[in-house]
């Protein structure tokens, strides 16, 4: 009997020990004990990164906020860009989500559908009304069911990049129409460079391809989505796909673009193996930092069929949202307001980020930047020709399917209409 | 009259023992008492000792599998599990060209990698087992790829085979630009090569360990009987290594079927879907498209393939023994 009791006690002790080993550590109390409020912000930026000036700007802004705020302390948790969305969704499902979340505007619909964020219209609308036209970012891009779900703090536009040195060596002018773009790229390809890089790789879920397919489809008078329904499989979409085929057949790019995503394209421009590309404004600073690049990398608005009238550019950017389980939404908004203020925007502008406030471009801090004039042209492009990037909760899936369709059309000669119909049918 | 030539190795062999080995010693009173005590031990103690292990195994192994199977049979919306829908999540895998293509490509990838990795590991293990100068240095060098992460390996090989500036890039051959990552067949070949490159060290270590347990006397005896190096390897070394080779095959099969990071970083499943494996489908559906039900279905299919391959190896091993 004694042995049985001892055995049971031993078993219980071991089981409890094992359970204790596997037990989760407690998440801590987000609220302070003396009225102080602690907020956790999850972002892909690393405040301690030695390479990314945006990280340093983030650190500066958070520290400044914590110093001046009345009892609110924000701490930053940095999560890899490729993982942050999944981490937030998983954490929120287990009631451990953050108070503040940095979300790329393309991913915002996914977060809205996954209920990781809460509406902020009651906070944001009065501020936006007050800012009026000064706020550049098209708020439609972050509004779902009439609710503003996040505040963009960064603007991105897509531009035609070109290596001025390579064009000059080839005796070529900067193209002003899509026809000229193809011809110029084909001529550059003859010099042993990739004339115009369009990333057809599946890497990054085909994002680089989508960044071209969208404006080209718009340029042909079409749309990508109507609500949540795919509508790109019309004449405009087919013409956009046929334009890619024309570029390939003309020799504007070769099969090498099949292995290129956005990173490879930017690296190619830096290395001088790619003469032209259509890439985001937010990557220009990093590309120029390459050895011997500097001012050799120039940008102009994307050309359209008509000289002097550029294509409409998709506008996207990083946003800040209030987590669905935020411990204090008022405090979270207080921080967001500070984060998107002119003062913070100027700090981010110095780190190569395109501000969301028009007036910041005229501020002393931005005017002191060496590319202040260029930033102003980008702002004007966004104001005059910017449109919210089409988004949906399944946009990644759509992007992945469309780049595969693009590969089949351009490199295997598949019928563009059939491929687009197939992708649209699967999506809808 | 035949001349008997004594091989030098034979002279080194220990004399054959003519006398039979002594019978096992009778159990001492103390060991007999212990056995008796063990036989009479209370079942509670046995269960008490084994229960923590069962609990741990259930938590870390059985529960996730059961959860994945359950998830694959339900509708899901992000992290929310909805209605039971039977095998509906499996239909895209087994009834569409893309799904069947993924199964085919996964089999090509796994079998192709195994066919390269196992013989390579066996050969390298044999070389490392030789008494040569700098043997330890060679061992370290050959095992180096093991410490490289899949992400780093993918980025490294991307650079190596780049046709423009990669040291291993083929550039233009016969007027055609050879870009491994721009051709679906070449991309699969590259994927297999890189996979073998990062996984052969593990197999080599296991093979080397197995080789070192084979008594030299057996090889020497075969040599005395006139067997050459190849015959000694085929008829002495290989049969004795078979259990290890099956273990290696099982380990590598599991590793290859479930591999995501390398594929995702090196090819992303492309070009033209040429490297779109089941494991990549499981990852993308689960963590990029957040279709957890479909992602779980992919995982269950992978699990089934792992079980089928594992069972086949074990069956082969058993039939070989019998």
């Amino acid at each position: 009997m004694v042995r049985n009791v001892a055995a049971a006690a031993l078993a219980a002790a071991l089981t409890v020990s094992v359970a204790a080993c596997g037990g989760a550590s407690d998440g801590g109390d987000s609220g302070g004990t003396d009225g102080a409020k602690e907020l956790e912000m999850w972002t892909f930026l690393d405040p301690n990164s030695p390479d990314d000036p945006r990280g340093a700007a983030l650190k500066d802004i958070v520290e400044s906020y914590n110093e001046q705020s009345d009892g609110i302390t924000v701490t930053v948790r940095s999560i890899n860009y490729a993982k942050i969305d999944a981490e937030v969704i998983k954490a929120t499902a287990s009631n451990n989500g953050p108070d503040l979340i940095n979300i790329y505007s393309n991913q915002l619909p996914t977060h809205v559908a996954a209920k990781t964020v809460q509406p902020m219209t009651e906070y944001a609308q009065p501020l936006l009304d007050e800012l009026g036209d000064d706020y550049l970012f098209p708020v439609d891009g972050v509004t779902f069911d009439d609710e503003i779900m996040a505040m963009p703090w960064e603007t991105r536009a897509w531009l035609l990049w070109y290596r001025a040195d390579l064009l000059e060596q080839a005796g070529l002018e900067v193209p002003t129409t899509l026809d000229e773009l193809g011809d110029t790229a084909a001529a550059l390809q003859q010099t042993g460079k990739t004339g115009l890089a369009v990333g057809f790789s599946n890497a990054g879920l085909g994002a680089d391809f989508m960044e071209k397919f969208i404006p080209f489809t718009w340029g042909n008078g079409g749309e990508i989505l109507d609500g949540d329904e795919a509508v790109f499989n019309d004449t405009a979409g087919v013409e956009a796909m046929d334009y890619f085929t024309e570029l390939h057949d003309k020799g504007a790019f070769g099969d090498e673009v099949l292995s290129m995503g956005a990173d490879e394209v930017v690296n190619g421009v830096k290395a001088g193996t790619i003469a032209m590309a259509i890439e985001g404004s937010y990557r220009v600073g990093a590309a120029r930092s390459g050895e011997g690049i500097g001012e050799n990398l120039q940008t102009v608005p994307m050309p359209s069929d008509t000289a002097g009238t550029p294509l409409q550019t998709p506008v996207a950017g990083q946003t800040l949202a209030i987590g669905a389980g935020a411990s204090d939404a008022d405090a979270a908004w207080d921080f967001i307001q500070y984060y998107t203020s002119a003062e913070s925007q100027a700090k981010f502008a110095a780190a190569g980020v395109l501000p969301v406030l028009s007036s910041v471009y005229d501020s002393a801090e931005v005017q002191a930047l060496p590319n202040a004039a260029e930033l102003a042209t980008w702002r004007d492009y966004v104001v005059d020709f910017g449109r919210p990037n089409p988004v949906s909760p399944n946009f990644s899936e759509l992007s992945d399917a469309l780049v595969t369709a693009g590969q089949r059309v351009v490199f295997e000669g598949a019928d563009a209409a059939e491929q687009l119909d197939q992708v649209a049918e699967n999506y809808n | 009259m035949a001349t008997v030539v004594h091989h030098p190795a034979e002279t080194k062999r220990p004399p054959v023992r003519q006398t039979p080995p002594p019978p096992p010693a009778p159990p001492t009173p103390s060991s007999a008492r212990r056995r008796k005590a063990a036989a009479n031990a209370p079942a509670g103690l046995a269960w008490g000792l084994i229960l923590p292990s069962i609990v741990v195994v259930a938590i870390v192994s059985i529960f996730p599998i059961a959860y994945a199977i359950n998830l694959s049979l339900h509708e899901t919306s992000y992290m929310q599990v909805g209605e039971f829908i039977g095998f509906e999540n499996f239909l895209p895998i087994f009834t569409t060209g893309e799904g069947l293509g993924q199964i085919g490509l996964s089999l090509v990838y796994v079998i192709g990698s195994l066919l390269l990795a196992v013989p390579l590991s066996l050969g390298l293990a044999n070389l490392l087992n030789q008494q040569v100068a700098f043997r330890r240095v060679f061992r370290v060098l050959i095992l180096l790829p093991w410490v490289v992460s899949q992400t780093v390996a993918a980025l490294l090989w991307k650079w190596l085979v780049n046709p423009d500036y990669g040291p291993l890039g083929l550039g233009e051959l016969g007027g055609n630009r050879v870009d491994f990552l721009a051709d679906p067949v070449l991309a699969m070949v590259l994927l297999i090569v890189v996979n073998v490159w990062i996984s052969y060290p593990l197999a080599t270590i296991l093979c080397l360990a197995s080789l070192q347990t084979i008594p030299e006397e057996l090889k020497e005896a075969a040599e005395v009987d006139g067997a050459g190096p190849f015959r000694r390897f085929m008829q002495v070394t290989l049969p004795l290594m078979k259990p290890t080779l099956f273990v290696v095959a099982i380990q590598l099969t599991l590793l290859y079927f479930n591999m995501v990071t390398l594929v995702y970083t090196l090819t992303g499943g492309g070009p033209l879907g040429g490297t779109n494996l089941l494991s990549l489908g499981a990852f993308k559906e689960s963590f990029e498209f957040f279709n957890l039900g479909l992602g779980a279905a992919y995982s269950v299919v992978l699990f089934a393939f792992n079980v089928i391959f594992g069972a086949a190896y074990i069956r082969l091993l058993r039939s070989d023994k019998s």
Side-chain angles (χ1 to χ4, degrees), chain A residues 80 82-83 86 90 205, chain B residues 102 257-261 263-265 268 276-292 294-299 302:
Chain A
N80 181 277
K83 292 179 181 171
K90 283 189 280 186
L205 299 173
Chain B
Q102 286 174 310
F257 264 121
N258 301 332
M259 194 167 277
V260 173
T261 310
V263 189
Y264 187 82
T265 316
N276 193 13
L277 310 183
L278 283 171
S279 52
L280 194 64
F283 175 78
K284 280 186 176 177
E285 291 297 342
S286 298
F287 302 112
E288 294 202 316
F289 308 151
F290 299 103
N291 299 323
L292 285 188
L294 182 53
Y298 271 102
S299 304
L302 280 170

Side-chain angles (χ1 to χ4, degrees), chain A residues 250-270:
Chain A
K250 204 180 254 188
F253 55 76
D255 290 359
E256 72 275 10
V257 297
L258 272 166
S259 58
M260 290 183 190
D263 289 340
E264 286 77 18
V265 172
V266 172
N267 288 337
V269 172
K270 283 169 77 172

Side-chain angles (χ1 to χ4, degrees), chain A residues 3-4 7 10-11 14 18 85-86 89-90 93 110 113-114 202 205 255-256 258-259 264 393 396-397 400 407-408 412, chain B residues 42 44-45 48-49 51-52 56 78-79 158 177 179 181-182 267-273 284-285 287-291:
Chain A
R3 274 186 188 167
N4 279 335
L10 176 63
L14 285 170
V18 168
D85 298 305
I89 290 171
K90 283 189 280 186
T110 302
N202 289 84
L205 299 173
D255 290 359
E256 72 275 10
L258 272 166
S259 58
E264 286 77 18
S396 297
E397 214 167 339
D400 195 41
Q407 293 170 358
R408 291 191 178 123
E412 287 193 326
Chain B
L45 178 61
L49 291 171
L51 195 61
V56 171
Y78 297 95
M79 305 305 285
K158 260 186 172 181
R177 191 170 183 273
D179 188 343
L181 294 170
T267 66
L272 297 156
K284 280 186 176 177
E285 291 297 342
F287 302 112
E288 294 202 316
F289 308 151
F290 299 103
N291 299 323

Side-chain angles (χ1 to χ4, degrees), chain A residues 34 42 82 89 112 142 158 269 282 419:
Chain A
D34 54 354
W42 289 13
I89 290 171
V112 173
V142 291
W158 274 261
V269 172
Y282 62 105
Q419 290 294 318

Side-chain angles (χ1 to χ4, degrees), chain A residues 5 19 23 40 64 89 102 123 159 189 198 245 273 280 284 288 317 335 343 369 376 414:
Chain A
V5 171
E40 190 172 60
S64 301
I89 290 171
N102 189 94
Y123 301 112
L159 309 150
Q189 190 86 3
V198 178
T245 308
T273 58
V284 171
R288 280 199 181 125
F335 177 73
E343 183 189 351
L369 296 173

Side-chain angles (χ1 to χ4, degrees), chain A residues 82-95:
Chain A
K83 292 179 181 171
I84 187 168
D85 298 305
E87 289 294 318
V88 169
I89 290 171
K90 283 189 280 186
T92 305
S94 57
N95 295 321

